[in-house]
Amino acid sequence: MSERIYIFDTTLRDGEQSPGAAMNISQKMRVAKALERLGVDVIEAGFPVASQGDFESVRLIAKEIRKCEICGLARAEENDIERAWEAIAEAANPRLHVFLSSSDIHLIHQLNKSRDEVLDMAVARVKQACRHTSNVEFSPMDASRTGPEFLARITEAVIGAGARVINFPDTVGYAVPSEYGALIRYIVENVPNIDKAVISVHCHDDLGLATANSLAGVINGARQVEVTVNGIGERAGNTSLEEMAMLFRTRKDAFDFETRIVTEQIFPTSRLISTVTGLMVPANKAIVGANAFAHESGIHQDGVLKQAITYEIMKPQDVGIKKSDLVLGKHSGRHAFKDKLASLGYELSSEDINSLFKRFKEVADKKKEVFDEDLEAIVADELIRVPQKYELNYINVSSGNTVRPTATVSITIDGDTKEQAGFGTGPIDAAYNTIANMTGTQSKLLHFGISSLTGGTDAQGEVTVRLGENGLVSIGQGADPDIIVASAKAYINGLNRLESMKQNPYKSFY
Ligand code: KIV
Ligand code: ZN
């Protein structure tokens, strides 16, 4: 019989540490429900001590989600652990996750503590956590750069103190599969009480090796893998959930492991995460990228038409990609609209459906056919929102090759409506100059990307911007059949996200 691999999803914690990926409480709840449908074993819902917002969202998720363990992260500090426990206590199966650096690099340059001090701290905090629950996970942070002997010592000590899952983070994505696998094997062979704990792997993708390292860990004895949807996370991200799940499903011949992931939910969940976080999935991303199942060359197309197995190792349907036979238009009703959103991973309240339906009708009036991508853009635009300090009322632009590009913009700022006109070298420059003047914001435009979501000149244009201010980076998105309006919406969305990041100073403190 296949051995079970436990999937620990940290999209809401490590994933949310991606620059610009901050989610609000209702977005986090929507993601948690999608993860439950996806069949993950553990949801790391957040880092409760980080902010009141993090605390509230973890507590709400702990109350509502019943089919997954709900985990709260805590540094090895008394107050962190109490706060994390308070947030998760009402979960059906709560887990406390305590972490503390173990590598000499971190001990010398960050903690200024000796190995013995760190070991004592780890044991004391694990004992404290175990007074609340027996479901305690411990992570020696930067494990892959900690010498194996000390790693084995700290592992034995925290298992002795009651930890039941020991996670070995490759925090900076430095490991390579052979050495990371050997490290896990060393732990299996040199920690006398290792049979009392589950070994977990947590890999970052700085060298593009996160999935390979996680697999090496599993081959050598790990039974929990920590992942995020679309591989989002700190810096280059984490091991991606979809890669791990499809690896075990597709290569059962090579590795006799199984997960509880409902793989047909992968694609809708991936779409939801990219819409909520504003982090677009690259077209060539394994499993969920737009090109993952697209065949371009004539030889490949010929083969796939004759027999899919010639060039396809997975079926698109297995990851939940459905060929859309139902295209919505202005005559489509509320029911078809609701069904379509459900197939894209959105389980929405009737209130949300009502406001979206109104917006959908407006778009359908301007376009003949409303495609899946259009609907996602509408959802992103209408629902996936951070608090709206700035709201765009209207924008009019005049431009051409004989006039100086001019934008007239009306914005409501904290309830006050303002109107102003300004110039630029082009229509978008005019719009952005005017908005920056009106809001008095200092952000720099780091990136501006524009794409057409669907074919044809009547397509929805989608604009993504990256804004930077004092070390904070936010992403803004906007969609509209008019690309100037989409650009203004994206800019305002980015400014609102920046504003909400300023209110959340703990977002990137480790
Ligand atoms: O990468 C890391 O070390 C972490 C820990 C907090 C588990 O995310
Ligand atoms: Zn991490």
Side-chain angles (χ1 to χ4, degrees):
M1 212 177 81
S2 312
E3 274 206 67
R4 176 88 138 76
I5 300 299
Y6 292 87
I7 297 294
F8 175 113
D9 181 277
T10 182
T11 307
L12 289 169
R13 199 277 299 170
D14 217 325
E16 214 219 1
Q17 284 172 225
S18 311
M23 299 173 233
N24 67 30
I25 193 160
S26 70
Q27 293 166 348
K28 287 183 181 174
M29 198 60 229
R30 195 172 297 145
V31 169
K33 285 186 181 158
L35 292 172
E36 189 178 41
R37 287 195 293 278
L38 183 59
V40 308
D41 297 288
V42 186
I43 295 176
E44 185 162 57
F47 188 15
V49 82
S51 69
Q52 189 59 25
D54 266 41
F55 176 84
E56 295 299 347
S57 56
V58 176
R59 190 157 65 168
L60 188 68
I61 290 168
K63 269 192 201 161
E64 301 264 320
I65 302 290
R66 304 323 275 173
K67 292 193 196 134
C68 313
E69 289 182 34
I70 304 299
C71 178
L73 182 68
R75 289 170 301 184
E77 287 181 16
E78 261 182 87
N79 181 48
D80 277 40
I81 293 170
E82 293 311 306
R83 195 79 177 134
W85 176 251
E86 216 186 308
I88 60 171
E90 286 187 64
N93 193 351
R95 177 183 297 193
L96 274 173
H97 180 187
V98 180
F99 74 97
L100 178 60
S101 288
S102 56
S103 69
D104 285 342
I105 298 176
H106 283 206
L107 267 52
I108 294 166
H109 300 293
Q110 194 177 18
L111 299 184
N112 195 20
K113 289 197 187 307
S114 70
R115 286 183 163 189
D116 286 344
E117 282 172 310
V118 159
L119 194 133
D120 290 348
M121 253 174 98
V123 167
R125 293 306 128 229
V126 166
K127 281 188 178 160
Q128 179 195 343
C130 288
R131 286 197 281 276
H132 293 298
T133 171
S134 57
N135 193 359
V136 171
E137 169 167 338
F138 178 77
S139 289
M141 186 151 84
D142 205 18
S144 56
R145 294 193 298 171
T146 304
E149 294 81 11
F150 182 58
L151 203 58
R153 234 181 101 205
I154 198 166
T155 301
E156 183 179 353
V158 291
I159 295 175
R164 287 297 161 260
V165 179
I166 313 296
N167 178 45
F168 296 94
D170 180 26
T171 303
V172 291
Y174 182 71
V176 299
S178 52
E179 74 190 13
Y180 190 66
L183 184 68
I184 300 298
R185 170 85 10 223
Y186 183 91
I187 295 294
V188 171
E189 288 171 355
N190 291 279
V191 174
N193 53 3
I194 197 67
D195 59 310
K196 294 195 173 58
V198 172
I199 296 178
S200 167
V201 288
H202 175 116
C203 298
H204 281 269
D205 208 29
D206 300 66
L207 292 172
L209 292 170
T211 300
N213 284 335
S214 297
L215 176 63
V218 168
I219 291 170
N220 284 284
R223 290 296 173 265
Q224 173 179 284
V225 183
E226 302 203 349
V227 292
T228 59
V229 175
N230 297 343
I232 65 170
E234 189 80 47
R235 304 181 313 279
N238 291 59
T239 304
S240 99
L241 180 149
E242 59 277 9
E243 289 172 21
M244 232 45 226
M246 289 315 287
L247 166 62
F248 291 133
R249 178 168 172 168
T250 310
R251 295 307 312 273
K252 224 168 178 16
D253 58 321
F255 316 107
D256 200 11
F257 298 118
E258 63 181 18
T259 70
R260 202 173 63 105
I261 295 298
V262 182
T263 61
E264 292 73 14
Q265 286 293 328
I266 284 177
F267 194 65
T269 313
S270 159
R271 285 291 187 95
L272 177 65
I273 299 300
S274 67
T275 317
V276 161
T277 58
L279 299 179
M280 315 287 268
V281 175
N284 63 333
K285 165 80 181 67
I287 320 292
V288 291
N291 292 347
F293 293 92
H295 302 277
E296 176 67 22
S297 99
I299 296 174
H300 287 214
Q301 287 175 350
D302 174 64
V304 168
L305 287 172
K306 286 178 175 146
Q307 190 56 260
I309 196 176
T310 49
Y311 292 97
E312 249 176 31
I313 59 165
M314 298 167 271
K315 293 207 262 336
Q317 300 87 304
D318 291 345
V319 301
I321 298 176
K322 294 191 188 117
K323 272 278 145 261
S324 176
D325 45 6
L326 179 67
V327 178
L328 300 182
K330 67 176 175 185
H331 301 298
S332 304
R334 199 174 296 258
H335 193 91
F337 178 70
K338 190 174 167 202
D339 278 3
K340 186 58 150 178
L341 287 177
S343 80
L344 293 172
Y346 300 107
E347 298 261 311
L348 300 168
S349 68
S350 7
E351 254 172 40
D352 285 346
I353 295 281
N354 287 344
S355 75
L356 287 170
F357 189 65
K358 206 163 144 249
R359 180 68 200 284
F360 155 72
K361 284 287 181 182
E362 284 164 22
V363 173
D365 268 343
K366 293 188 196 160
K367 296 187 77 219
K368 274 196 296 292
E369 292 178 320
V370 181
F371 296 96
D372 293 358
E373 293 81 356
D374 295 314
L375 291 175
E376 284 177 336
I378 292 172
V379 174
D381 209 28
E382 285 287 300
L383 293 184
I384 315 293
R385 287 185 167 208
V386 290
Q388 303 290 286
K389 181 175 170 69
Y390 310 112
E391 281 186 76
L392 179 70
N393 302 319
Y394 64 78
I395 173 162
N396 295 319
V397 171
S398 67
S399 77
N401 55 2
T402 56
V403 289
R404 189 169 178 201
T406 311
T408 310
V409 182
S410 164
I411 302 178
T412 301
I413 305 174
D414 286 331
D416 261 358
T417 299
K418 292 186 176 179
E419 193 194 47
Q420 201 173 302
F423 305 108
T425 50
I428 294 172
D429 191 45
Y432 279 29
N433 287 343
T434 313
I435 293 170
N437 258 331
M438 291 172 82
T439 54
T441 45
Q442 306 295 322
S443 64
K444 272 210 169 76
L445 182 63
L446 306 176
H447 167 83
F448 177 90
I450 188 159
S451 59
S452 146
L453 283 175
T454 46
T457 48
D458 66 341
Q460 285 261 98
E462 187 189 55
V463 173
T464 305
V465 294
R466 198 179 283 270
L467 305 179
E469 189 177 334
N470 293 334
L472 296 174
V473 177
S474 80
I475 290 175
Q477 283 181 306
D480 198 274
D482 181 320
I483 54 167
I484 309 293
V485 178
S487 305
K489 283 180 177 177
Y491 190 27
I492 298 270
N493 181 239
L495 289 178
N496 279 322
R497 285 188 178 214
L498 254 188
E499 201 51 43
S500 112
M501 289 166 86
K502 287 181 201 161
Q503 313 302 325
N504 196 355
Y506 286 99
K507 269 285 308 139
S508 54
F509 79 89
Y510 66 90

